[in-house]
Amino acid sequence: MQALQNIEQFIKGVKMDKWAVALLTGATCVVGSVVMLVKKISSHRETEEKIKRARNRRDESLQRAEQAVLRYKESHPTTDSAFILTLSLSELTKTLKEGSLTPEDVLYSYMEKTLAVNKKLNCCTEILLESLDQLTTVGSNKDGLLYGVPVSIKENITFKNHDCSCGVVINLDQPAEKDSVLVQVLKKQGAIPFVRTNLPQALLNYDCSNPIYGQTVNPHNPQKTSGGSSGGEGALIGGGGSLLGIGTDIGGSIRIPASFCGICGFKPTAGRLSHCFIFRMKLVPSSPGPMARDVDSLALCMQALLCDHMFSLDPTVPPLPFNMEIYRSSRPLRIGYLESDGYTHPSPSMARGVREVKALLEQAGHTLVPYCPLKMDQTIPELLIKGVFADGATTVLQKLEGGPVDPCLEPQVFPYGFPKWLKKTISFLLKPVFPRVSANFDALCGVGSVPELWKQHAAVEDYIQETIAHWRSCNIDVLLCPVIGPAYNFLYCGKLSTAVSYTILYNLLTFPAGVVTVSTVTTKDEEELKHYKGCYQDMWDKLFKEAVSGGEGLPVAVQCVALPWQDELCLRFMKEVEQLVKESKK
């Protein structure tokens, strides 16, 4: 009997324990949910505070710069800023060395112009007020090739005591401890870095917008993008607020803004200049490079940077000074050319730009031969997309955590977060209808394993060697090809990441490549665009047609390419194109 009572009590206790456990579990879930909610709210507030602080720093620097400019103008009423702004870089350096102009006159003139341009285009992330202090010491570098020249620099280039946010909230409030090697060399050569410029979030896009500093617009049409990722540089130089800037290029990030904004831009051979920023990849190497109004300015900047000081500060850079003899050479060239890469069909103005330049080069005595890049339909997904997103875009998504995703980037990164099985399923379903889209979805899965990554590295090296062999079989010195344009309407870059095929190919190959503006979009170009079909006649071709529509009057550019380490030859070719176009317009 007693045993039965004990059993009853035990069963009741167990029931009570179950109720207690259920109650405790429920309470724990509620508490956990509250904690998660509080953390999310706290994280959101912290993000907003970080963005607010960054914007306040920018606004303060702009206001203090305005005040400094006003004070200088009041004390130097005879300074002819309008004249200073008309000088080319070579003319400016000459007058500064002669003493006809002072670094103060030049810096304040460009600072005033930059402030005016920024109000229209939103291209600056902050004015470097240290530049005003540098005026007191710049005289010690009077022998420098860039003595007294104000230089704008992209926001992701490391600068002491300033954030390199790359437009990503997680990177804010982490000021750099020292200047990058390139900034140190610029200062040694007498240049005065005076402003930092805008870029797209995480450098992932060829638009120019981020949640911290907003959208940069095109200097020729504010309803168009300036391009990216060096879009702040493109807009500022194209708008006249800077005559020399330093950008970075991982898929066309110097060349596309140069094309969209009507200026010149140069991506050197990967490794020719010291790496100066925090975002880097092995398979698709990035390069810093100059952006300017003319090719001579690009060459002078490269000459200034390729000096013993850089080779000493960064021993990983090969000590190859700028070869002025090659740049000034006038020997006839054998030039490969293409109107289409077979992957992204050019807009009418892109193709016309190449045709017109080809005709000018032939008239000048150069030999032009057809050229076709190798296996583009395989190279874009298998080598480029898999190379950039080798980990299935995990690192990219981690960088974007804890902050808002910019509208220009949303359509691009949305599929990055899909699980691998879903990417594979979508790829399978799309293959019969949209093979190009299908291949790219499959590539977003990444390489999958370390052995596969090694194979990927080997495949890239093989492709580089195949391309060099193909280039030599054509017996060409340099290559003339399109660069995407004209400038896009807003919110299309994130939907059209594959359109960078014309530029990102030369990052993969490590070839030097530069852009020269040669024309503007005509009414006839716009009429022909109405009949644009594209290479694949898929959704991306349709979107490209929409992106470039309404571009009449916007700049048209061409791209010039050379083999690795032949940077001076590439610049010489760019100079030839620039001169011939200029003479043809007289």
Side-chain angles (χ1 to χ4, degrees), residues 196-208:
R196 304 178 82 210
T197 53
N198 205 21
L199 35 59
Q201 190 173 22
L203 306 176
L204 280 174
N205 197 275
Y206 59 105
D207 203 329
C208 191

mmCIF file with all atom_site columns, all heavy atoms in Angstrom, residues 196-208:
data_model
loop_
_atom_site.group_PDB
_atom_site.id
_atom_site.type_symbol
_atom_site.label_atom_id
_atom_site.label_alt_id
_atom_site.label_comp_id
_atom_site.label_asym_id
_atom_site.label_entity_id
_atom_site.label_seq_id
_atom_site.pdbx_PDB_ins_code
_atom_site.Cartn_x
_atom_site.Cartn_y
_atom_site.Cartn_z
_atom_site.occupancy
_atom_site.B_iso_or_equiv
_atom_site.pdbx_formal_charge
_atom_site.auth_seq_id
_atom_site.auth_comp_id
_atom_site.auth_asym_id
_atom_site.auth_atom_id
_atom_site.pdbx_PDB_model_num
ATOM 1   N N   . ARG A 1 196 ? 38.892 63.537 -50.014 1.00 0.00 ? 196 ARG A N   1
ATOM 2   C CA  . ARG A 1 196 ? 38.622 62.111 -50.245 1.00 0.00 ? 196 ARG A CA  1
ATOM 3   C C   . ARG A 1 196 ? 37.260 61.988 -50.914 1.00 0.00 ? 196 ARG A C   1
ATOM 4   O O   . ARG A 1 196 ? 36.343 62.752 -50.640 1.00 0.00 ? 196 ARG A O   1
ATOM 5   C CB  . ARG A 1 196 ? 38.664 61.343 -48.927 1.00 0.00 ? 196 ARG A CB  1
ATOM 6   C CG  . ARG A 1 196 ? 39.991 61.525 -48.201 1.00 0.00 ? 196 ARG A CG  1
ATOM 7   C CD  . ARG A 1 196 ? 40.003 60.793 -46.873 1.00 0.00 ? 196 ARG A CD  1
ATOM 8   N NE  . ARG A 1 196 ? 40.298 59.390 -47.031 1.00 0.00 ? 196 ARG A NE  1
ATOM 9   C CZ  . ARG A 1 196 ? 39.838 58.430 -46.227 1.00 0.00 ? 196 ARG A CZ  1
ATOM 10  N NH1 . ARG A 1 196 ? 39.020 58.730 -45.237 1.00 0.00 ? 196 ARG A NH1 1
ATOM 11  N NH2 . ARG A 1 196 ? 40.173 57.176 -46.418 1.00 0.00 ? 196 ARG A NH2 1
ATOM 12  N N   . THR A 1 197 ? 37.144 60.979 -51.785 1.00 0.00 ? 197 THR A N   1
ATOM 13  C CA  . THR A 1 197 ? 35.969 60.936 -52.660 1.00 0.00 ? 197 THR A CA  1
ATOM 14  C C   . THR A 1 197 ? 35.140 59.667 -52.486 1.00 0.00 ? 197 THR A C   1
ATOM 15  O O   . THR A 1 197 ? 35.616 58.637 -52.020 1.00 0.00 ? 197 THR A O   1
ATOM 16  C CB  . THR A 1 197 ? 36.407 61.073 -54.130 1.00 0.00 ? 197 THR A CB  1
ATOM 17  O OG1 . THR A 1 197 ? 37.413 60.095 -54.414 1.00 0.00 ? 197 THR A OG1 1
ATOM 18  C CG2 . THR A 1 197 ? 36.942 62.459 -54.411 1.00 0.00 ? 197 THR A CG2 1
ATOM 19  N N   . ASN A 1 198 ? 33.904 59.757 -52.917 1.00 0.00 ? 198 ASN A N   1
ATOM 20  C CA  . ASN A 1 198 ? 32.885 58.742 -52.649 1.00 0.00 ? 198 ASN A CA  1
ATOM 21  C C   . ASN A 1 198 ? 33.058 57.477 -53.487 1.00 0.00 ? 198 ASN A C   1
ATOM 22  O O   . ASN A 1 198 ? 33.726 57.484 -54.529 1.00 0.00 ? 198 ASN A O   1
ATOM 23  C CB  . ASN A 1 198 ? 31.495 59.343 -52.888 1.00 0.00 ? 198 ASN A CB  1
ATOM 24  C CG  . ASN A 1 198 ? 30.412 58.629 -52.098 1.00 0.00 ? 198 ASN A CG  1
ATOM 25  O OD1 . ASN A 1 198 ? 30.688 57.963 -51.092 1.00 0.00 ? 198 ASN A OD1 1
ATOM 26  N ND2 . ASN A 1 198 ? 29.176 58.755 -52.529 1.00 0.00 ? 198 ASN A ND2 1
ATOM 27  N N   . LEU A 1 199 ? 32.401 56.413 -53.027 1.00 0.00 ? 199 LEU A N   1
ATOM 28  C CA  . LEU A 1 199 ? 32.490 55.094 -53.659 1.00 0.00 ? 199 LEU A CA  1
ATOM 29  C C   . LEU A 1 199 ? 31.238 54.288 -53.318 1.00 0.00 ? 199 LEU A C   1
ATOM 30  O O   . LEU A 1 199 ? 30.479 54.647 -52.429 1.00 0.00 ? 199 LEU A O   1
ATOM 31  C CB  . LEU A 1 199 ? 33.757 54.358 -53.174 1.00 0.00 ? 199 LEU A CB  1
ATOM 32  C CG  . LEU A 1 199 ? 34.259 54.543 -51.724 1.00 0.00 ? 199 LEU A CG  1
ATOM 33  C CD1 . LEU A 1 199 ? 33.242 54.147 -50.685 1.00 0.00 ? 199 LEU A CD1 1
ATOM 34  C CD2 . LEU A 1 199 ? 35.534 53.789 -51.501 1.00 0.00 ? 199 LEU A CD2 1
ATOM 35  N N   . PRO A 1 200 ? 31.001 53.168 -54.019 1.00 0.00 ? 200 PRO A N   1
ATOM 36  C CA  . PRO A 1 200 ? 29.845 52.337 -53.702 1.00 0.00 ? 200 PRO A CA  1
ATOM 37  C C   . PRO A 1 200 ? 30.108 51.441 -52.488 1.00 0.00 ? 200 PRO A C   1
ATOM 38  O O   . PRO A 1 200 ? 31.266 51.189 -52.136 1.00 0.00 ? 200 PRO A O   1
ATOM 39  C CB  . PRO A 1 200 ? 29.660 51.494 -54.957 1.00 0.00 ? 200 PRO A CB  1
ATOM 40  C CG  . PRO A 1 200 ? 31.030 51.388 -55.533 1.00 0.00 ? 200 PRO A CG  1
ATOM 41  C CD  . PRO A 1 200 ? 31.709 52.697 -55.214 1.00 0.00 ? 200 PRO A CD  1
ATOM 42  N N   . GLN A 1 201 ? 29.042 50.962 -51.881 1.00 0.00 ? 201 GLN A N   1
ATOM 43  C CA  . GLN A 1 201 ? 29.147 50.134 -50.682 1.00 0.00 ? 201 GLN A CA  1
ATOM 44  C C   . GLN A 1 201 ? 29.986 48.887 -50.954 1.00 0.00 ? 201 GLN A C   1
ATOM 45  O O   . GLN A 1 201 ? 29.730 48.126 -51.884 1.00 0.00 ? 201 GLN A O   1
ATOM 46  C CB  . GLN A 1 201 ? 27.750 49.722 -50.217 1.00 0.00 ? 201 GLN A CB  1
ATOM 47  C CG  . GLN A 1 201 ? 27.704 49.058 -48.860 1.00 0.00 ? 201 GLN A CG  1
ATOM 48  C CD  . GLN A 1 201 ? 26.276 48.845 -48.401 1.00 0.00 ? 201 GLN A CD  1
ATOM 49  O OE1 . GLN A 1 201 ? 25.337 48.813 -49.193 1.00 0.00 ? 201 GLN A OE1 1
ATOM 50  N NE2 . GLN A 1 201 ? 26.095 48.675 -47.104 1.00 0.00 ? 201 GLN A NE2 1
ATOM 51  N N   . ALA A 1 202 ? 31.020 48.701 -50.133 1.00 0.00 ? 202 ALA A N   1
ATOM 52  C CA  . ALA A 1 202 ? 31.915 47.534 -50.194 1.00 0.00 ? 202 ALA A CA  1
ATOM 53  C C   . ALA A 1 202 ? 32.646 47.405 -51.532 1.00 0.00 ? 202 ALA A C   1
ATOM 54  O O   . ALA A 1 202 ? 33.197 46.351 -51.829 1.00 0.00 ? 202 ALA A O   1
ATOM 55  C CB  . ALA A 1 202 ? 31.157 46.239 -49.883 1.00 0.00 ? 202 ALA A CB  1
ATOM 56  N N   . LEU A 1 203 ? 32.661 48.460 -52.333 1.00 0.00 ? 203 LEU A N   1
ATOM 57  C CA  . LEU A 1 203 ? 33.339 48.460 -53.644 1.00 0.00 ? 203 LEU A CA  1
ATOM 58  C C   . LEU A 1 203 ? 32.790 47.395 -54.583 1.00 0.00 ? 203 LEU A C   1
ATOM 59  O O   . LEU A 1 203 ? 33.456 47.003 -55.532 1.00 0.00 ? 203 LEU A O   1
ATOM 60  C CB  . LEU A 1 203 ? 34.858 48.240 -53.471 1.00 0.00 ? 203 LEU A CB  1
ATOM 61  C CG  . LEU A 1 203 ? 35.596 49.168 -52.531 1.00 0.00 ? 203 LEU A CG  1
ATOM 62  C CD1 . LEU A 1 203 ? 37.050 48.737 -52.403 1.00 0.00 ? 203 LEU A CD1 1
ATOM 63  C CD2 . LEU A 1 203 ? 35.538 50.605 -53.011 1.00 0.00 ? 203 LEU A CD2 1
ATOM 64  N N   . LEU A 1 204 ? 31.565 46.939 -54.322 1.00 0.00 ? 204 LEU A N   1
ATOM 65  C CA  . LEU A 1 204 ? 31.029 45.788 -55.041 1.00 0.00 ? 204 LEU A CA  1
ATOM 66  C C   . LEU A 1 204 ? 30.286 46.156 -56.310 1.00 0.00 ? 204 LEU A C   1
ATOM 67  O O   . LEU A 1 204 ? 29.721 45.291 -56.957 1.00 0.00 ? 204 LEU A O   1
ATOM 68  C CB  . LEU A 1 204 ? 30.049 45.017 -54.141 1.00 0.00 ? 204 LEU A CB  1
ATOM 69  C CG  . LEU A 1 204 ? 30.673 44.079 -53.118 1.00 0.00 ? 204 LEU A CG  1
ATOM 70  C CD1 . LEU A 1 204 ? 29.593 43.514 -52.223 1.00 0.00 ? 204 LEU A CD1 1
ATOM 71  C CD2 . LEU A 1 204 ? 31.425 42.962 -53.815 1.00 0.00 ? 204 LEU A CD2 1
ATOM 72  N N   . ASN A 1 205 ? 30.248 47.411 -56.656 1.00 0.00 ? 205 ASN A N   1
ATOM 73  C CA  . ASN A 1 205 ? 29.328 47.859 -57.673 1.00 0.00 ? 205 ASN A CA  1
ATOM 74  C C   . ASN A 1 205 ? 29.995 48.916 -58.536 1.00 0.00 ? 205 ASN A C   1
ATOM 75  O O   . ASN A 1 205 ? 30.926 49.576 -58.091 1.00 0.00 ? 205 ASN A O   1
ATOM 76  C CB  . ASN A 1 205 ? 28.111 48.449 -56.933 1.00 0.00 ? 205 ASN A CB  1
ATOM 77  C CG  . ASN A 1 205 ? 26.903 48.589 -57.801 1.00 0.00 ? 205 ASN A CG  1
ATOM 78  O OD1 . ASN A 1 205 ? 26.776 49.585 -58.490 1.00 0.00 ? 205 ASN A OD1 1
ATOM 79  N ND2 . ASN A 1 205 ? 26.008 47.624 -57.775 1.00 0.00 ? 205 ASN A ND2 1
ATOM 80  N N   . TYR A 1 206 ? 29.519 49.096 -59.758 1.00 0.00 ? 206 TYR A N   1
ATOM 81  C CA  . TYR A 1 206 ? 30.088 50.174 -60.563 1.00 0.00 ? 206 TYR A CA  1
ATOM 82  C C   . TYR A 1 206 ? 29.148 51.376 -60.639 1.00 0.00 ? 206 TYR A C   1
ATOM 83  O O   . TYR A 1 206 ? 29.235 52.210 -61.532 1.00 0.00 ? 206 TYR A O   1
ATOM 84  C CB  . TYR A 1 206 ? 30.533 49.682 -61.940 1.00 0.00 ? 206 TYR A CB  1
ATOM 85  C CG  . TYR A 1 206 ? 29.480 49.048 -62.832 1.00 0.00 ? 206 TYR A CG  1
ATOM 86  C CD1 . TYR A 1 206 ? 28.957 49.743 -63.918 1.00 0.00 ? 206 TYR A CD1 1
ATOM 87  C CD2 . TYR A 1 206 ? 29.043 47.746 -62.616 1.00 0.00 ? 206 TYR A CD2 1
ATOM 88  C CE1 . TYR A 1 206 ? 28.021 49.163 -64.750 1.00 0.00 ? 206 TYR A CE1 1
ATOM 89  C CE2 . TYR A 1 206 ? 28.103 47.158 -63.440 1.00 0.00 ? 206 TYR A CE2 1
ATOM 90  C CZ  . TYR A 1 206 ? 27.594 47.866 -64.514 1.00 0.00 ? 206 TYR A CZ  1
ATOM 91  O OH  . TYR A 1 206 ? 26.664 47.289 -65.342 1.00 0.00 ? 206 TYR A OH  1
ATOM 92  N N   . ASP A 1 207 ? 28.264 51.482 -59.645 1.00 0.00 ? 207 ASP A N   1
ATOM 93  C CA  . ASP A 1 207 ? 27.540 52.712 -59.354 1.00 0.00 ? 207 ASP A CA  1
ATOM 94  C C   . ASP A 1 207 ? 28.357 53.448 -58.291 1.00 0.00 ? 207 ASP A C   1
ATOM 95  O O   . ASP A 1 207 ? 29.482 53.038 -57.996 1.00 0.00 ? 207 ASP A O   1
ATOM 96  C CB  . ASP A 1 207 ? 26.134 52.389 -58.839 1.00 0.00 ? 207 ASP A CB  1
ATOM 97  C CG  . ASP A 1 207 ? 25.157 53.544 -59.047 1.00 0.00 ? 207 ASP A CG  1
ATOM 98  O OD1 . ASP A 1 207 ? 25.597 54.706 -59.011 1.00 0.00 ? 207 ASP A OD1 1
ATOM 99  O OD2 . ASP A 1 207 ? 23.960 53.272 -59.237 1.00 0.00 ? 207 ASP A OD2 1
ATOM 100 N N   . CYS A 1 208 ? 27.818 54.492 -57.696 1.00 0.00 ? 208 CYS A N   1
ATOM 101 C CA  . CYS A 1 208 ? 28.580 55.206 -56.666 1.00 0.00 ? 208 CYS A CA  1
ATOM 102 C C   . CYS A 1 208 ? 27.630 55.708 -55.587 1.00 0.00 ? 208 CYS A C   1
ATOM 103 O O   . CYS A 1 208 ? 27.342 56.902 -55.504 1.00 0.00 ? 208 CYS A O   1
ATOM 104 C CB  . CYS A 1 208 ? 29.371 56.360 -57.278 1.00 0.00 ? 208 CYS A CB  1
ATOM 105 S SG  . CYS A 1 208 ? 30.578 57.073 -56.127 1.00 0.00 ? 208 CYS A SG  1
#
